[in-house]
Amino acid sequence: MAIQISSELLDGCVLACLKDQDYYGYALTQRLQAAIKVSESTLYPVLRRLKKNGWVTTYDQAYQGRTRRYYQISSAGLTQLATIQTEWQTYYLAINQLLQGEDHR
């Protein structure tokens, strides 16, 4: 069984990767796949949505006769990442309590 990741959480994972450095699409996919199960076909719509929301910007750079499109987190993206991190912490604690059988009513 594979646990499905929500689009909001996937947004947060991408933004967290971009916080450390800019990535082109394939390299970002490889970075994410090292941690979670995500396909390239899943990632590109996420990147388009993040760009549409103003959370990432793009720039092109030549590499060995080809052009790579790099993604960079924006200041709005940093704000969104902080929001997702806070929400994740609350969600993680609640789910962990349930899965561990802890009762904190």
Side-chain angles (χ1 to χ4, degrees):
M1 175 182 94
I3 296 175
Q4 297 294 312
I5 187 169
S6 71
S7 61
E8 292 84 6
L9 192 52
L10 188 54
D11 290 354
C13 291
V14 170
L15 292 171
C17 289
L18 293 173
K19 182 179 178 210
D20 296 330
Q21 72 180 64
D22 300 351
Y23 281 96
Y24 61 95
Y26 180 74
L28 181 57
T29 301
Q30 296 299 306
R31 169 70 179 92
L32 286 168
Q33 286 177 339
I36 60 175
K37 202 173 216 176
V38 63
S39 69
E40 227 176 307
S41 62
T42 299
L43 183 61
Y44 284 103
V46 171
L47 290 169
R48 282 193 295 275
R49 182 177 64 249
L50 294 177
K51 185 175 180 185
K52 180 182 175 190
N53 289 338
W55 298 336
V56 300
T57 59
T58 60
Y59 62 91
D60 294 337
Q61 190 169 352
Y63 177 78
Q64 296 182 349
R66 300 179 72 191
T67 301
R68 286 181 172 166
R69 173 149 296 155
Y70 281 80
Y71 297 86
Q72 181 177 53
I73 194 167
S74 67
S75 58
L78 289 170
T79 301
Q80 180 63 16
L81 175 58
T83 299
I84 292 169
Q85 287 170 327
T86 299
E87 290 173 359
W88 166 252
Q89 199 59 27
T90 302
Y91 183 77
Y92 167 81
L93 292 172
I95 294 298
N96 202 46
Q97 285 176 356
L98 287 171
L99 291 177
Q100 300 303 321
E102 299 172 13
D103 188 9
H104 292 280
R105 286 187 244 181

